[in-house]
Amino acid sequence: DPCWNFHCKRGKVCHVDKQGKPHCICQDPAACPSTKDYERVCGTDNKTYDGTCQLFGTKCQLEGTKMGRQLHLDYMGSCKYIPPCTDYEVDQFPLRMRDWLKNILMQYYERDLNTSGILTEKQRSKVKKIYQNEKRLMAGDHTAELLLHDFEKNYHMYVYPVHWQFHQLDQHPVDRLLIHSELAPLRASLVPMEHCITRFFQECDGDHDKLIALKEWCHCFGIKE
């Protein structure tokens, strides 16, 4: 099969021409496999798509047009009203985000106690110290005051989770800079629950170069130089 191991970007599929050579053509959105309700996604055109296959297939068919350039995955789930983020809310956002990142790493560590493989040995060593110190605040809906007090008192426990998330995202390419496409997977999954994440990422880009450097990322989360 000429299409075996022939890579096409999202929204395109491999097609063999009359000469038997593979090349990429736009995915027909109508030919995308059926999806479950929870697999629906919302595009930046505020339209609900049955899945990412349908969204990126549609974007491909619009290639070269203004609409095609502007169409991206906005967030996971059906489109809904996302309220604007207030100044107060965006100020509180890092508190919840830091706590969430710390709790994710702790959950990974707990899973690794039974089935290793989620964290590397070096990561487990780092998280073990956090895990052993952390049984006071469990994952939950804590007040901003409590989260701030915990951050100030246990600052060292929050540094690694913030660095860890940056390097999890910094993959294409690994250059200590986060571009839009690297932020998109995290942002798209969180928008329905955390409507301030878009504004948070925008304000993290202090020099407005559409790149978030590690220093900018840490500054947004209150991590000292």
Side-chain angles (χ1 to χ4, degrees):
D1 180 2
C3 281
W4 179 255
N5 270 348
F6 189 81
H7 179 71
C8 293
K9 69 176 186 178
R10 298 183 80 171
K12 295 193 174 187
V13 291
C14 181
H15 175 77
V16 181
D17 62 20
K18 292 179 180 178
Q19 285 73 42
K21 294 183 179 180
H23 60 101
C24 298
I25 62 170
C26 287
Q27 165 76 52
D28 178 5
C32 288
S34 58
T35 57
K36 307 290 185 184
D37 287 349
Y38 61 81
E39 294 176 306
R40 289 177 179 167
V41 297
C42 184
T44 46
D45 56 354
N46 202 33
K47 177 182 175 183
T48 298
Y49 294 83
D50 282 342
T52 53
C53 172
Q54 190 181 88
L55 169 65
F56 287 106
T58 302
K59 177 179 174 64
C60 181
Q61 291 189 334
L62 294 170
E63 209 168 61
T65 68
K66 182 180 179 181
M67 192 177 295
R69 288 191 297 273
Q70 293 177 340
L71 180 58
H72 300 285
L73 169 64
D74 198 5
Y75 53 87
M76 310 305 289
S78 300
C79 294
K80 64 179 184 178
Y81 172 68
I82 304 293
C85 178
T86 65
D87 292 344
Y88 174 78
E89 287 175 319
V90 81
D91 286 344
Q92 306 304 310
F93 183 81
L95 304 174
R96 296 192 304 277
M97 192 71 173
R98 286 190 307 240
D99 199 50
W100 181 69
L101 293 176
K102 175 169 62 67
N103 284 314
I104 283 180
L105 276 176
M106 287 178 56
Q107 288 172 18
Y108 284 171
Y109 180 80
E110 283 186 328
R111 290 181 197 172
D112 269 7
L113 293 176
N114 300 318
T115 310
S116 62
I118 300 176
L119 300 174
T120 65
E121 188 175 339
K122 184 177 179 181
Q123 288 171 336
R124 277 198 299 274
S125 175
K126 292 268 191 182
V127 180
K128 182 179 181 180
K129 297 172 185 176
I130 298 173
Y131 185 83
Q132 289 174 339
N133 287 326
E134 170 70 9
K135 281 301 171 188
R136 300 155 295 97
L137 277 180
M138 298 308 293
D141 187 16
H142 304 302
T143 62
E145 291 75 21
L146 184 61
L147 293 175
L148 182 59
H149 173 74
D150 186 61
F151 176 67
E152 291 171 346
K153 185 180 177 183
N154 301 286
Y155 171 80
H156 64 285
M157 292 171 55
Y158 288 91
V159 177
Y160 181 70
V162 170
H163 280 226
W164 169 80
Q165 180 64 85
F166 182 92
H167 292 293
Q168 289 294 108
L169 297 171
D170 182 27
Q171 298 293 332
H172 307 289
V174 179
D175 57 1
R176 296 171 72 87
L177 295 168
L178 296 181
I179 58 177
H180 177 270
S181 61
E182 290 174 315
L183 289 167
L186 178 64
R187 182 193 163 280
S189 62
L190 288 181
V191 167
M193 299 175 288
E194 289 284 3
H195 67 283
C196 283
I197 193 165
T198 301
R199 181 174 167 186
F200 176 73
F201 284 157
Q202 288 171 345
E203 295 186 5
C204 271
D205 181 16
D207 56 7
H208 307 293
D209 63 352
K210 297 187 178 179
L211 300 168
I212 297 180
L214 178 60
K215 187 175 180 179
E216 290 175 315
W217 175 268
C218 290
H219 177 73
C220 285
F221 283 99
I223 304 299
K224 303 166 192 173
E225 287 192 27

